[in-house]
Amino acid sequence: MNEKCGITDETLVDYVYDEIEDAAKRKEVEEHIKTCAECGAGVKELELVKKTAENADVDFSDDIWDVHRQGVLRKLAKKEKPMRNFREVFNVKTFALAAIILLMSGVGLQLYRSFQATQEQQVIADKADLLQNIDIIERLDFYEEISNI
Amino acid sequence: MKHREETIHREDLEIIADIKAGKQIAVDELIRKYQKRIYNTAYGLTVDYDEAWDVSQEALVKVIRYIGTFRGDSSFWTFMYRITMNAFYDYKRRQKVRAKVGNFTDYENDDDKRAFEITDVIDIEMDYEQKELKEKLKAALGALTEVQRQVFVLKNTEGLKIREVAVVLGMSDGTVKSHLNRAMEKIKKTLGGVQP
């Protein structure tokens, strides 16, 4: 803000960008700039910024813009392709096949587990038989010893 | 003075309808019509020629892919500007991820390597002073905050009025003015040493 004349920087920016809607106010600022060296210099600096920025557009020749456009089209095609593949892969047939495989795997696993359980039961039964036989043999040995006495 | 009106043109409505109807030629037309404007908007956000190239391409891809969501509540340019801004933020996010985990996340750009340097193909028809001013402006833009840069670009490159900038960025007029003043002050200081 210019302390001598009370014109704010914001007012000068508004003036440069033609944002002062009140015609009387605009005229007042316009007249002031003609007589106030400090505000006049401020406006010139702001106009330089505005002019430089307005003319700062980057431009290429048509063939370079064509390369840019082709790149966009390529990216578009690339992004659409995975979507098509997704739909192709995850359709009803695939889900049905996956369900059958899952079901068969479940049944197979169950059969394997029951076979394992049967085998374990068999081993336990064999061990029990063996223990019983050992017991009988020991008792026979005992009676044999008594009869010898 | 540049001033691009914030309204939707009949021509745009036709292009949009054609793209929605699946006409490939309309996609081409839309890119040709807006690629330069979107590139320059992206440049204003990134202050980097290469990044602006990638961001603008990504923005155009998104504009076309999501054109079905455009209902005309805002102007078509506001719709495209917001998508460009999102593309810019996505790009920055990906850059951060890439910096942490390496280049393998950059799958989108693998087959889109340019056979030229952008700085070599820019149309430059200006004298030394203009070039110096542009370089200083570029440096000054880089020193602004993101919001200040967005406001400055919309005000100068797009030539929008304060109230239009406020609508595009979803801010109050006062907030836009405040950011614009700060941006102008910073840039004025940087350009100060160069005579017009």
Side-chain angles (χ1 to χ4, degrees):
Chain A
M1 180 172 169
N2 188 334
E3 285 175 9
K4 288 178 201 161
C5 58
I7 294 277
T8 61
D9 291 340
E10 196 173 310
T11 306
L12 294 184
V13 172
D14 283 347
Y15 173 77
V16 167
Y17 284 109
D18 200 18
E19 294 272 3
I20 302 176
E21 287 173 5
D22 183 344
K25 172 79 179 165
R26 181 172 171 75
K27 185 79 185 160
E28 189 189 316
V29 175
E30 202 173 293
E31 290 303 320
H32 172 77
I33 289 162
K34 285 178 190 167
T35 55
C36 176
E38 202 176 322
C39 288
V43 165
K44 273 190 181 168
E45 284 177 329
L46 291 171
E47 278 172 345
L48 173 66
V49 173
K50 181 173 169 262
K51 194 179 152 200
T52 309
E54 279 179 358
N55 298 320
D57 270 9
V58 179
D59 203 358
F60 306 114
S61 58
D62 288 350
D63 53 336
I64 297 298
W65 283 123
D66 265 355
V67 175
H68 183 264
R69 186 173 49 84
Q70 292 300 334
V72 175
L73 294 173
R74 236 187 345 267
K75 285 183 178 182
L76 263 173
K78 207 165 148 184
K79 286 201 169 174
E80 277 166 11
K81 212 175 164 187
M83 288 306 286
R84 274 203 301 272
N85 283 346
F86 182 83
R87 283 191 208 109
E88 279 165 14
V89 172
F90 295 100
N91 53 25
V92 179
K93 277 183 190 172
T94 322
F95 275 115
L97 189 67
I100 290 167
I101 291 170
L102 205 66
L103 192 71
M104 286 176 75
S105 312
V107 170
L109 190 69
Q110 200 58 41
L111 281 171
Y112 175 72
R113 277 182 182 168
S114 63
F115 173 72
Q116 256 191 334
T118 314
Q119 271 195 326
E120 277 169 15
Q121 277 173 354
Q122 188 61 48
V123 169
I124 291 167
D126 287 350
K127 280 180 181 170
D129 279 352
L130 186 66
L131 284 172
Q132 206 175 1
N133 289 339
I134 288 169
D135 191 37
I136 291 166
I137 289 164
E138 278 176 354
R139 259 184 277 163
L140 281 173
D141 285 349
F142 174 71
Y143 288 125
E144 202 178 318
E145 265 179 45
I146 290 175
S147 62
N148 288 336
I149 295 169
Chain B
M1 179 192 161
K2 231 191 254 199
H3 181 220
R4 287 155 166 167
E5 279 183 38
E6 272 297 274
T7 51
I8 184 156
H9 299 283
R10 189 181 159 78
E11 195 188 334
D12 286 338
L13 286 173
E14 282 169 11
I15 294 173
I16 294 163
D18 284 350
I19 293 176
K20 283 182 183 175
K23 291 184 186 171
Q24 185 57 36
I25 197 161
V27 171
D28 227 50
E29 208 180 332
L30 182 105
I31 300 172
R32 280 179 204 276
K33 189 172 178 190
Y34 286 107
Q35 63 183 160
K36 186 179 166 185
R37 196 169 169 189
I38 289 183
Y39 178 88
N40 276 289
T41 301
Y43 179 73
L45 294 167
T46 59
V47 203
D48 183 287
Y49 298 120
D50 291 288
E51 288 184 2
W53 182 278
D54 293 335
V55 170
S56 58
Q57 283 190 332
E58 204 55 44
L60 279 160
V61 166
K62 284 179 176 161
V63 165
I64 294 156
R65 288 190 74 208
Y66 299 119
I67 210 153
T69 64
F70 177 71
R71 290 185 180 85
D73 303 335
S74 59
S75 81
F76 189 46
W77 173 246
T78 303
F79 173 76
M80 287 195 290
Y81 182 82
R82 285 181 181 153
I83 287 180
T84 308
M85 227 158 64
N86 285 334
F88 164 68
Y89 289 129
D90 284 349
Y91 184 86
K92 287 283 161 196
R93 257 197 303 274
R94 280 209 303 271
Q95 262 191 336
K96 275 184 192 168
V97 173
R98 223 176 296 153
K100 280 181 189 168
V101 297
N103 276 333
F104 66 86
T105 54
D106 194 17
Y107 60 92
E108 281 173 17
N109 294 331
D110 284 348
D111 62 353
D112 195 36
K113 298 284 179 207
R114 285 180 297 278
F116 52 85
E117 287 294 322
I118 293 187
T119 41
D120 294 339
V121 293
I122 295 172
D123 271 1
I124 301 171
E125 286 176 16
M126 53 186 163
D127 56 31
Y128 176 76
E129 278 171 2
Q130 274 181 309
K131 202 176 171 185
E132 197 188 351
L133 275 172
K134 272 198 174 184
E135 284 304 313
K136 286 205 168 191
L137 177 69
K138 189 183 168 187
L141 280 174
L144 299 180
T145 65
E146 261 173 36
V147 186
Q148 286 170 355
R149 202 155 56 231
Q150 283 171 19
V151 170
F152 184 83
V153 168
L154 286 172
K155 191 78 193 83
N156 293 283
T157 312
E158 287 298 319
L160 301 186
K161 303 297 279 183
I162 294 282
R163 63 172 180 280
E164 291 170 331
V165 177
V167 170
V168 172
L169 296 179
M171 295 171 181
S172 69
D173 291 8
T175 309
V176 171
K177 273 192 178 189
S178 163
H179 286 304
L180 179 65
N181 284 323
R182 283 186 201 142
M184 291 298 277
E185 198 52 44
K186 284 184 189 175
I187 295 175
K188 203 171 77 175
K189 278 180 189 159
T190 312
L191 296 189
V194 184
Q195 292 303 310

